Amino acid sequence: MTKKIEEAARLDAREEDVLSRVHPSLPQVAERVREGRVSRREFLRTATLLGLSAATAYAFAGKLTGEPFAPAARAQNGTPVRGGTLRVAMNVMEISDPATIDWTEKGNQLRHVLEPLVRISSDNIAVPHLAESWSASEDLRTWTFRLRRDVTWSNGDAFGADDVIANFRRWMDPATGSSNYGRFSALRTSNEDGSPMREDAVVKIDDHTVEFNLRTPFLALPESMGDYPALLAHRSFEGGNWANEPIGTGPFELVELQVGSRARYRRREDGWWGGEVPLDGIDYIDLGDDPAAPLAALASNQVDMLLRLNVEQVPVARNMPMLTLYEAQTAQTGVARMKVDTAPFDDVRVRQAIRLCVDNDRLLELVIQNLGVVGADHHVAPIHPEYADIGPSEQDYERARALLAEAGHENGLDIRIDCVAQPTWEPNTCQALVEQLRPANIRLQVNIMPGGTYWDRWTTTPFGFTAWTHRPLGTQVLSLAYRSGVPWNESGYANPDFDDLLDKAEATIDVEERREIMAELQRILREDAVIVQPFWRSAFTAATPRLRGYAHHPAEEHHFEGVWLEG
């Protein structure tokens, strides 16, 4: 760091006071940025989670590093043009209970009508949404969320604390089956499977203030409120089919839903709390599972935008001048996960043997043409701020064969992996695994099935390949997928030591300290060989050049309230 930048990076007493009033730990985090020990990205995420506004956090980051920092660029910004319907090619799915949705597509169908307390921006930063602001106690166990006062449900009711409390009570009831049960495990009485929410976990202070009282400190509480199963339904919703009476606070209202065909939305006539909305409406059009159909529809002006491009379509799209291509670096991935309580995968030696057969670098090249980053079989990505580099996974056929013999499989092993037909990178990964397992005499059969069929059994199949979307924190992913007893723990993995370490990581503000804990968590997960996780993939989509105001989100979230069509 040059002397000039070093001088520019120093905070004065007033600036340090601003940070300390948000949270006592923030001045120390800022000093570590100045020293080069904590990155700008890590500062932005930590500061906004603790309650500093995104604009102020960007300003501090610029001063601390001596470099300006601009939010993610949006598509050819200009003066919004009112009118028009945005046509998007995307599978249209059933969305009966917002608390239990489990696909990106379902989240996109809901989020134009339902909204979260916190939104994760395209820059991967937690920003206030239905919550106006929040603050945390020094020990991160008490959080106060202040809600917007100008939000109205589409049925005319005022939005308030009662809505927040009603949603959390449903989410934290094990009988609901919501992934939020694991996402907000710090609100439970214990880590034990089936444990209820604490009586004082969510408290109404007044109509627009809610207090959260946690069993353990939890830095990522605001960020966890931005995931798609945390979209807030009206306080009257107690289950059933939400689409039959789609009350929401969002900028659009749902006017038609035909699963497998179309979902139509129109701008709310009574206005939206967030201001003017350029589009008249949104039209999701389901063109089936053939990935060629949406791209052809875009090229022929039958739709304006795609949910995503498959990797093999990226070179083609780059050569189509009538399209605009978007890319986002992500923590999206796929895991070949083994059900650890089901034979033969209940023997860790079998799981380790399978993992030792895999060359992740080769899969990155073969399957997604190096359009991503190699994985290391622990489901924490280099893009995650707390990621620890514990080295690559190594391919070792000799050791794999020895482990199989020790497990009583001297003559090899016959196994089957289930996967979806689309997108194609998922079955292609499984087919590549067939070849990589063969030298150890592991005979893998690939069972390719329609998406709906696979997702009916994704948590129960003994061996399955599951796509996981982007989450901004590694601790979020580990809590959702590998904490004991949570709904999305598809492997059945249950390790109390892992859970305790995860609690500790979630409670640690200091990025360097959290990274040390994460290194141990990553080692445990890889040594227990719960998954083969070969790569992290970039997310691509394409749209008409007429699209304005759009920024591609790393989790492929659609936020269209500021989007318009030009010309």
Side-chain angles (χ1 to χ4, degrees):
M1 183 180 290
T2 67
K3 183 177 180 180
K4 180 179 178 181
I5 293 177
E6 195 171 295
E7 289 296 323
R10 295 184 186 280
L11 300 183
D12 59 32
R14 182 188 61 81
E15 291 167 326
E16 289 187 355
D17 182 60
V18 169
L19 293 180
S20 63
R21 279 190 281 112
V22 174
H23 196 274
S25 68
L26 268 182
Q28 182 184 39
V29 178
E31 178 63 16
R32 293 194 173 187
V33 175
R34 194 183 71 81
E35 295 169 348
R37 297 167 60 189
V38 170
S39 74
R40 178 173 52 189
R41 182 184 66 175
E42 291 161 348
F43 171 78
L44 286 168
R45 178 165 288 125
T46 303
T48 53
L49 285 178
L50 290 173
L52 192 67
S53 73
T56 305
Y58 281 121
F60 271 106
K63 178 166 185 177
L64 290 165
T65 61
E67 300 175 6
F69 189 87
R74 292 183 174 268
Q76 303 94 6
N77 284 329
T79 302
V81 176
R82 190 175 174 90
T85 296
L86 181 66
R87 302 163 300 168
V88 184
M90 186 184 81
N91 290 138
V92 175
M93 301 181 175
E94 172 270 329
I95 48 172
S96 60
D97 189 345
T100 62
I101 60 170
D102 49 11
W103 280 53
T104 297
E105 289 86 338
K106 295 180 181 182
N108 282 336
Q109 289 172 227
L110 284 169
R111 68 169 46 88
H112 305 300
V113 183
L114 300 180
E115 299 178 290
L117 288 175
V118 179
R119 179 180 284 184
I120 308 303
S121 71
S122 298
D123 300 312
N124 239 6
I125 301 299
V127 295
H129 199 66
L130 290 181
E132 191 172 58
S133 63
W134 59 83
S135 58
S137 62
E138 187 169 355
D139 65 0
L140 300 181
R141 294 182 63 175
T142 302
W143 292 75
T144 303
F145 278 70
R146 290 163 287 278
L147 311 179
R148 296 189 185 276
R149 295 174 177 269
D150 54 351
V151 178
T152 303
W153 292 95
S154 54
N155 69 348
D157 291 343
F159 167 77
D162 291 336
D163 295 297
V164 176
I165 292 171
N167 277 272
F168 270 89
R169 284 177 177 163
R170 278 202 77 230
W171 296 343
M172 300 310 293
D173 181 351
T176 300
S178 174
S179 61
N180 291 326
Y181 182 74
R183 188 173 283 105
F184 300 108
S185 61
L187 295 173
R188 288 155 41 188
T189 56
S190 74
N191 269 331
E192 292 184 12
D193 186 14
S195 60
M197 185 168 74
R198 293 157 50 98
E199 288 187 9
D200 65 342
V202 189
V203 177
K204 177 180 177 179
I205 304 302
D206 59 42
D207 286 347
H208 295 95
T209 309
V210 179
E211 182 179 271
F212 294 87
N213 299 295
L214 313 182
R215 182 188 77 255
T216 58
F218 185 28
L219 174 62
L221 179 65
E223 204 143 21
S224 296
M225 292 179 179
D227 211 345
Y228 57 74
L231 296 167
L232 295 174
H234 188 274
R235 54 190 173 273
S236 64
F237 182 74
E238 298 179 349
N241 191 344
W242 171 85
N244 289 339
E245 192 176 358
I247 302 169
T249 59
F252 296 91
E253 57 185 358
L254 178 67
V255 295
E256 179 185 358
L257 175 63
Q258 297 181 36
V259 175
S261 177
R262 172 165 288 179
R264 290 195 307 113
Y265 305 78
R266 68 182 171 212
R267 183 178 54 234
R268 279 179 59 174
E269 295 181 357
D270 59 344
W272 176 57
W273 63 266
E276 289 293 321
V277 177
L279 289 173
D280 289 336
I282 303 162
D283 193 354
Y284 283 118
I285 302 169
D286 192 327
L287 297 173
D289 289 334
D290 181 358
L295 184 57
L298 180 61
S300 59
N301 196 34
Q302 297 176 59
V303 298
D304 304 303
M305 181 182 175
L306 311 180
L307 171 65
R308 68 173 63 96
L309 280 171
N310 279 1
V311 270
E312 64 268 19
Q313 295 175 313
V314 172
V316 176
R318 281 181 172 148
N319 290 319
M320 300 174 74
M322 76 289 292
L323 306 182
T324 300
L325 188 67
Y326 298 89
E327 177 182 0
Q329 293 184 335
T330 80
Q332 293 194 33
T333 189
V335 298
R337 68 101 188 111
M338 293 158 270
K339 198 77 170 168
V340 301
D341 54 3
T342 303
F345 308 111
D346 55 350
D347 190 324
V348 68
R349 295 169 295 186
V350 171
R351 303 198 305 269
Q352 289 172 340
I354 291 171
R355 184 181 65 77
L356 286 166
C357 290
V358 179
D359 181 344
N360 288 338
D361 286 289
R362 182 63 176 150
L363 289 180
L364 174 67
E365 178 186 4
L366 283 175
V367 178
I368 62 169
Q369 303 169 34
N370 289 318
L371 295 174
V373 178
V374 70
D377 302 324
H378 52 57
H379 213 153
V380 181
I383 200 174
H384 289 139
E386 67 274 63
Y387 166 81
D389 186 356
I390 63 170
S393 287
E394 301 289 348
Q395 188 181 60
D396 188 340
Y397 283 121
E398 183 177 351
R399 178 64 178 148
R401 285 188 285 264
L403 284 168
L404 282 178
E406 288 177 21
H409 300 286
E410 297 88 347
N411 297 321
L413 189 64
D414 291 289
I415 54 176
R416 187 186 79 176
I417 188 168
D418 294 332
C419 68
V420 298
Q422 294 293 340
T424 53
W425 67 269
E426 297 184 42
N428 289 349
T429 303
C430 294
Q431 295 292 357
L433 286 175
V434 172
E435 301 304 318
Q436 293 201 349
L437 296 183
R438 184 172 288 128
N441 205 17
I442 299 175
R443 299 170 291 276
L444 176 64
Q445 175 191 355
V446 179
N447 180 36
I448 301 173
M449 56 183 65
T453 304
Y454 178 77
W455 289 103
D456 284 341
R457 65 187 71 179
W458 74 284
T459 58
T460 59
T461 182
F463 193 18
F465 189 87
T466 302
W468 281 79
T469 194
H470 169 94
R471 261 104 196 167
L473 292 178
T475 50
Q476 283 181 288
V477 178
L478 299 186
S479 278
L480 286 172
Y482 308 103
R483 188 182 284 279
S484 301
V486 297
W488 283 1
N489 184 341
E490 55 177 327
S491 66
Y493 185 62
N495 183 337
D497 292 337
F498 181 89
D499 295 342
D500 290 343
L501 270 176
L502 188 51
D503 282 343
K504 188 176 178 181
E506 290 178 333
T508 303
I509 295 176
D510 186 277
V511 175
E512 293 176 313
E513 292 179 18
R514 190 161 74 246
R515 188 174 291 117
E516 291 178 6
I517 302 168
M518 291 299 289
E520 184 60 24
L521 285 165
Q522 292 168 216
R523 277 190 287 267
I524 290 172
L525 202 57
R526 187 160 76 186
E527 289 168 5
D528 284 351
V530 180
I531 57 173
V532 172
Q533 189 251 317
F535 47 72
W536 305 94
R537 66 185 194 90
S538 295
F540 294 88
T541 193
T544 170
R546 297 173 56 226
L547 181 67
R548 298 289 190 272
Y550 175 73
H552 195 39
H553 196 282
E556 299 176 314
E557 294 183 5
H558 287 167
H559 304 293
F560 291 156
E561 68 276 3
V563 163
W564 71 96
L565 293 168
E566 190 172 84

